[in-house]
Amino acid sequence: MAGFGDLRFRAVTSLQRNVVNPLARRSRSQTLLETTGRTSGLPRRTPVGGRRTGQEFWLVSEFGEKSQYIRNIRADPRVRVRVAGRWYDGIAHPLPEDNARARLRTLPRYNSAVVRAVGTNLLTVRVDLAD
């Protein structure tokens, strides 16, 4: 029998995959994380909430290692991030030792509230951006 966390994961990821993400990807103002599909080799764009600080971009994954984009990063950490309509190349670093709840307090408020509400396994990610 599936636990509550598994049911929440399936419900939220289904809603994100089928409704939220397709709509969000169309918005020029939406921040996107582009990874390379670990099986397909194709670019995979995921709407994310986060914040650029200097040459770093910070985000928190609500489902940690279960998130497809985290699994893609583990296979190939080279990513691109679209912030304010501009694309940046970078190298992503999942940081399980970081306090993800504390990190959320430094990121955009609305997205952080959603991540805290639905997340079951928070994981901080730092992207080192190229010039």
Side-chain angles (χ1 to χ4, degrees), residues 7-127:
L7 292 174
R8 185 179 349 178
F9 170 76
R10 287 198 310 254
V12 171
T13 56
S14 179
L15 179 65
Q16 287 173 333
R17 184 178 304 117
N18 297 307
V19 179
V20 176
N21 290 358
L23 293 173
R25 279 193 289 267
R26 291 187 179 121
S27 171
R28 291 196 172 277
S29 63
Q30 175 66 51
T31 301
L32 296 176
L33 174 69
E34 184 180 87
T35 60
T36 301
R38 64 195 174 281
T39 303
S40 69
L42 297 173
R44 300 296 183 199
R45 291 182 176 173
T46 305
V48 295
R51 175 165 284 138
R52 182 178 178 181
T53 305
Q55 288 304 109
E56 298 173 336
F57 182 82
W58 292 87
L59 67 113
V60 174
S61 168
E62 65 264 56
F63 297 115
E65 299 293 337
K66 284 179 131 183
S67 296
Q68 296 299 318
Y69 67 89
I70 295 296
R71 295 172 72 190
N72 289 341
I73 287 168
R74 293 282 189 205
D76 182 354
R78 294 171 298 168
V79 300
R80 292 191 326 145
V81 181
R82 186 179 77 182
V83 181
R86 181 170 174 215
W87 285 100
Y88 299 89
D89 292 326
I91 303 295
H93 305 276
L95 301 172
E97 68 280 1
D98 191 69
N99 182 335
R101 290 204 174 273
R103 180 70 56 193
L104 284 170
R105 290 192 290 273
T106 70
L107 301 178
R109 184 173 296 165
Y110 175 74
N111 180 263
S112 293
V114 171
V115 169
R116 271 192 299 277
V118 303
T120 59
N121 188 23
L122 304 182
L123 176 63
T124 301
V125 177
R126 184 190 76 231
V127 179

